[in-house]
Amino acid sequence: MKLEGKDTKIFELMRRELDREEYSLILIASENYADEDVLAAQGCVLTNKYAEGYPTKRYYSGCTHLDEIESIAIERAKELFGAEHANVQPHSGSSANMAVYYAVLDRGDTVLGMDIAHGGHLTHGAKPSFSGKWYRAVSYAVSEKDEMLDYDEILAVARKERPKLIIAGASAYSKFIDFKKFREIADEVGAYFMADIAHIAGLVAAGLHPSPFGHAHFVTTTTHKTLRGPRGGIVFCNQEFAKKIDSAVFPGIQGGPLMHVIAAKAVALHQAMTEEFKQYQKQIIANAKYMAKCMADLGFRIVSGGTDNHLFLVDLTPKNVTGNEAQVSLEASGIMVNKNLIPFDTRSPGITSGIRLGTPAVTTRGMKEKEMEIICVMIDAVLKNLNDRSFMENTRAKVREFCKGFPFYSRMYDI
Ligand code: PLP
């Protein structure tokens, strides 16, 4: 790393973070390891250049190469997902969602999204977000019976609330989402339909989750989760809405695009077209399914009864442990998870009754079912020894050794 011996403070912290990522088990479902090619594109001179506007229609001179880079990113995004139009400029998934709101809603309009307490995202209408502050946000939940989406119930809410925009997509929902049904509901009440595939984009690209393309008016995604690219967002739509979306992103809600990130998105989208990426996505799901089974065998309750995708929620109630206690003890043991509300949780978001586990990052390292079982046994043991410092320290050392068997950044950097 080039900062060595210069900005020693930042260098040392970067080195420590590299060490943490390499020698921890990252089970946070929204995280992944971008590879050296993505990192190279993201850490290059493209960061220097202003390129407000779009390819061939920029406000500044000197954009020839950037025009080509952005055009390639757009073409790759369209090809990968089978979309008519792609805007690759959103700085994040939240910005991508905001652009759709900005393009088709007026302040005060009604939006219908998944309740954040049941797996939805902040930008789907939660109170602290712009989406809950500037719009009349109403929500649907999972069914109490099986903790899955109940499309008749969603239709009933839509009929009652008459939203202008319906959002499907989640941060913590482990079953397939039926985008076709969502579109039918939207059509019935005269709403736009936006599918937010931030979490499942890699699975959709690989054909392993039903695609929203052909059903949704707008599809938004992040590029850094299962898609394994740089931190960022993309909005897709048909030609009909292309102009509206482009002017919502710029100049509506953003200024100059992050061209280094757009180059890194292009690199990641190219990787996502390979057979290797498809196999990777298959293994993510196989690992998640097997991990959910192992956790259930160890006496944990799996929300919704299992998983179809890359993540699942574990209800810790049978173990008498809170999500927060689990997160803290597991972190001290080198296992990164996040506390998560489970549907109909009686605890607060800061405490929670559950944790969310995801397999994208450990699968990137080459771990398979056998390793998932070992990880589950380690999690169970830590939760049985919650406040035992030396147990956590021993586990931390074990995790470090375990990670050495699946090197990722240590193949590229001297750590
Ligand atoms: N949409 C969903 C479903 C998400 O899970 C997330 C992030 O976790 C986002 C949008 C927002 O992405 P970002 O954190 O890049 O703003």
Side-chain angles (χ1 to χ4, degrees):
M1 286 195 284
K2 301 260 191 317
L3 279 176
E4 190 163 12
K6 296 176 191 159
D7 190 335
T8 48
K9 276 193 184 155
I10 293 298
F11 172 76
E12 179 53 22
L13 289 165
M14 283 170 62
R15 200 197 54 73
R16 282 194 216 168
E17 173 60 11
L18 188 57
D19 187 275
R20 188 195 68 84
E21 291 186 20
E22 182 71 3
Y23 298 115
S24 304
L25 289 166
I26 310 281
L27 298 172
I28 294 177
S30 48
E31 295 183 3
N32 210 331
Y33 297 104
D35 78 358
E36 58 193 322
D37 296 341
V38 169
L39 295 183
Q42 205 172 358
C44 77
V45 297
L46 294 167
T47 192
N48 296 331
K49 186 74 194 92
Y50 251 111
E52 286 168 332
Y54 289 98
T56 74
K57 292 183 219 94
R58 307 285 189 187
Y59 286 81
Y60 293 110
S61 59
C63 291
T64 317
H65 309 303
L66 305 192
D67 282 357
E68 279 198 54
I69 288 170
E70 187 168 346
S71 299
I72 290 169
I74 290 168
E75 287 313 310
R76 287 179 181 173
K78 283 162 49 179
E79 185 186 334
L80 181 64
F81 290 99
E84 273 188 25
H85 181 75
N87 186 307
V88 296
Q89 292 194 4
H91 300 332
S92 66
S94 297
S95 314
N97 288 347
M98 190 187 243
V100 174
Y101 280 68
Y102 196 89
V104 294
L105 301 180
D106 292 313
R107 275 187 168 207
D109 280 348
T110 301
V111 293
L112 171 61
M114 190 171 187
D115 188 341
I116 192 167
H118 286 237
H121 186 255
L122 277 165
T123 55
H124 299 180
K127 278 276 165 287
S129 144
F130 74 91
S131 61
K133 277 207 162 79
W134 299 341
Y135 303 93
R136 182 182 162 265
V138 290
S139 62
Y140 57 85
V142 294
S143 141
E144 204 154 2
K145 179 172 56 93
D146 55 10
E147 298 169 312
M148 295 201 230
L149 290 173
D150 175 342
Y151 295 90
D152 293 335
E153 186 53 36
I154 298 167
L155 174 60
V157 180
R159 277 189 181 139
K160 177 165 170 271
E161 303 289 354
R162 312 302 298 184
K164 193 162 169 193
L165 177 69
I166 296 179
I167 302 167
S171 304
Y173 182 67
S174 63
K175 307 304 272 188
F176 281 154
I177 297 174
D178 190 335
F179 295 115
K180 184 167 176 283
K181 277 209 179 117
F182 265 104
R183 175 59 187 261
E184 286 163 10
I185 294 169
D187 282 347
E188 172 139 359
V189 300
Y192 291 116
F193 169 40
M194 172 179 118
D196 176 348
I197 59 166
H199 263 265
I200 55 170
L203 310 184
V204 171
L208 301 170
H209 186 292
S211 173
F213 290 90
H215 302 303
H217 296 99
F218 308 98
V219 178
T220 58
T221 187
T222 55
T223 46
H224 48 273
K225 297 184 168 94
T226 48
L227 208 49
R228 209 166 53 180
R231 191 157 291 279
I234 304 179
V235 186
F236 300 92
C237 59
N238 285 346
Q239 275 313 329
E240 181 190 357
F241 296 105
K243 262 201 168 139
K244 272 196 164 166
I245 287 295
D246 284 353
S247 54
V249 174
F250 173 83
I253 63 163
Q254 289 189 176
L258 309 177
M259 290 310 304
H260 53 307
V261 178
I262 289 174
K265 285 175 188 172
V267 171
L269 290 163
H270 195 53
Q271 293 175 351
M273 290 170 184
T274 60
E275 183 53 34
E276 193 186 338
F277 185 81
K278 235 183 219 164
Q279 291 309 319
Y280 162 59
Q281 298 294 324
K282 266 194 191 152
Q283 191 64 47
I284 287 180
I285 298 176
N287 282 352
K289 280 185 188 291
Y290 194 69
M291 197 173 202
K293 180 195 167 306
C294 292
M295 291 300 280
D297 289 347
L298 288 163
F300 293 89
R301 191 183 79 80
I302 309 304
V303 171
S304 319
T307 181
D308 297 331
N309 59 27
H310 62 300
L311 63 78
F312 59 94
L313 291 179
V314 183
D315 178 1
L316 301 170
T317 317
K319 301 284 185 178
N320 227 356
V321 178
T322 69
N324 192 46
E325 286 168 334
Q327 176 177 317
V328 170
S329 301
L330 288 166
E331 180 175 1
S333 311
I335 302 172
M336 307 298 154
V337 307
N338 64 282
K339 59 179 175 263
N340 215 103
L341 289 173
I342 57 169
F344 311 100
D345 209 322
T346 50
R347 293 196 165 99
S348 71
I351 304 295
T352 82
S353 298
I355 50 173
R356 185 182 64 164
L357 299 183
T359 55
V362 286
T363 309
T364 290
R365 305 186 69 139
M367 294 183 188
K368 297 212 163 94
E369 285 87 338
K370 186 167 141 239
E371 286 74 36
M372 297 306 110
E373 187 164 0
I374 294 169
I375 294 171
C376 290
V377 170
M378 285 200 274
I379 292 175
D380 185 44
V382 170
L383 300 189
K384 281 184 175 138
N385 293 275
L386 260 194
N387 298 311
D388 184 338
R389 274 273 133 217
S390 72
F391 191 87
M392 289 187 245
E393 272 160 29
N394 281 342
T395 307
R396 179 83 198 84
K398 254 207 255 171
V399 165
R400 203 174 170 87
E401 280 312 302
F402 185 63
C403 288
K404 283 185 184 162
F406 298 88
F408 192 70
Y409 289 131
S410 56
R411 295 173 311 175
M412 308 163 204
Y413 304 105
D414 186 19
I415 52 170

